[in-house]
Amino acid sequence: MAARQRAANRYYSGPPSDHFDGTLFFNPDGQPPGRFADLLKWQFSGKRSKWPAANPSPFDSVEPVAHIDGDGLRLTMVGHSTLLIQTAGLNILTDPVWSPRVSPLSFAGPKRVNAPGIAFSQLPPIDLVLVSHNHYDHLDLTTLKRLKAKHDPQVLTPLGNDAIIDAAVPGMRMTAHDWGERIEIAKDIAVHVEPVHHWSARGARDRRMALWAGFVIETPAGKIYFAGDTGFHGGVNYRLMAEKHGGFRLAILPIGAYEPRWFMASQHQNPEEAVQGMQLGNAAYAAGCHWGTFQLTDEPIEEPAQKLAEALEAHGVPQERFRALRPGEIWDVPEA
């Protein structure tokens, strides 16, 4: 049986659980990704908005300080889902992508429309990298190779993604984890690997062979929630996060790549759902990511920020509590 599982799943072999059937991972009581026929229906719908070839950020590329100590919490947007988190003397990157495209091909696929908010050469020493899942806009092997060569950071990722990374970046200091695991990083600092509603694939034949996850970073300055990529899923996982962790000083939540809803709703939340997630998860502040850098879906480039502002007003949440960050933007997050 074990041999058959390894043959069927090229990345991971382990016992069944409430989100792994022995071969593939799944969302408990959730929805699988759309079928290939649905993908074709969407791609040929003709409703894709035209993005500009270049959309420079209003913020200049920045050179971050080396460290932020004490109760400080500084967030710098690089682009899409790549952010630099600085707190408690640690420098943490989420889903690092510095490549010009997010695609298995170097000459085709979604192309960056704005430069990274931090030039790779200007990064401070990187201690920790969190990789939420294996889609190309989140797991960029070229960038991970560069990080290994220059910074040799510790990498945390959900089950199965380690096989993909290790094959391309031998010797990376990396561990792979299941939902619910807690990893000690340093004194008074730990990372929790938590469920989100999504899926995984690097190609047509490895769907759901590696796990997807969000992360909770437990620090002396407060808890930080990075949701990675997620559908709203009725708010199930946000309620779980509030119940388990009490609340967050900061939640980093995706707000883009959500249209058309008939195809994307189960896997990508929209800005309205992100605001609901902030409230359900009991986050004092939130930063919007996963928008404005790579065109993945149909909505116009500025719509996520506009819709976020509308949703905040509708829910009576002050605009300064949930910011749609742009590359190069720095936010010193207030204490909760």
Side-chain angles (χ1 to χ4, degrees), residues 16 67 92 96 117 164 178 213 226 247 271 308:
H67 295 97
I92 304 168
I164 300 166
D178 202 354
F226 171 57
L308 177 64

Side-chain angles (χ1 to χ4, degrees), residues 150-196:
K150 186 170 182 180
H151 298 272
D152 192 28
Q154 180 179 358
V155 177
L156 303 183
T157 192
L159 298 173
N161 298 291
D162 54 325
I164 300 166
I165 297 170
D166 189 60
V169 195
M172 190 140 228
R173 295 193 299 120
M174 172 177 53
T175 52
H177 302 275
D178 202 354
W179 291 350
E181 290 191 40
R182 180 180 185 272
I183 304 97
E184 294 280 350
I185 302 299
K187 186 178 185 297
D188 298 325
I189 299 173
V191 174
H192 301 256
V193 180
E194 301 291 10
V196 295

Side-chain angles (χ1 to χ4, degrees), residues 213-229:
F215 301 92
V216 171
I217 310 166
E218 184 181 329
T219 81
K223 288 186 177 180
I224 304 160
Y225 178 41
F226 171 57
D229 211 348

Side-chain angles (χ1 to χ4, degrees), residues 193-210:
V193 180
E194 301 291 10
V196 295
H197 191 289
H198 203 55
W199 62 294
S200 66
R202 298 289 280 182
R205 298 185 177 183
D206 66 345
R207 278 188 164 205
R208 299 190 289 122
M209 289 186 179

Side-chain angles (χ1 to χ4, degrees), residues 8-29:
N9 186 326
R10 70 187 72 170
Y11 304 139
Y12 174 75
S13 176
S17 70
D18 69 345
H19 54 277
F20 182 65
D21 65 10
T23 302
L24 301 176
F25 293 96
F26 61 92
N27 297 298
D29 300 316

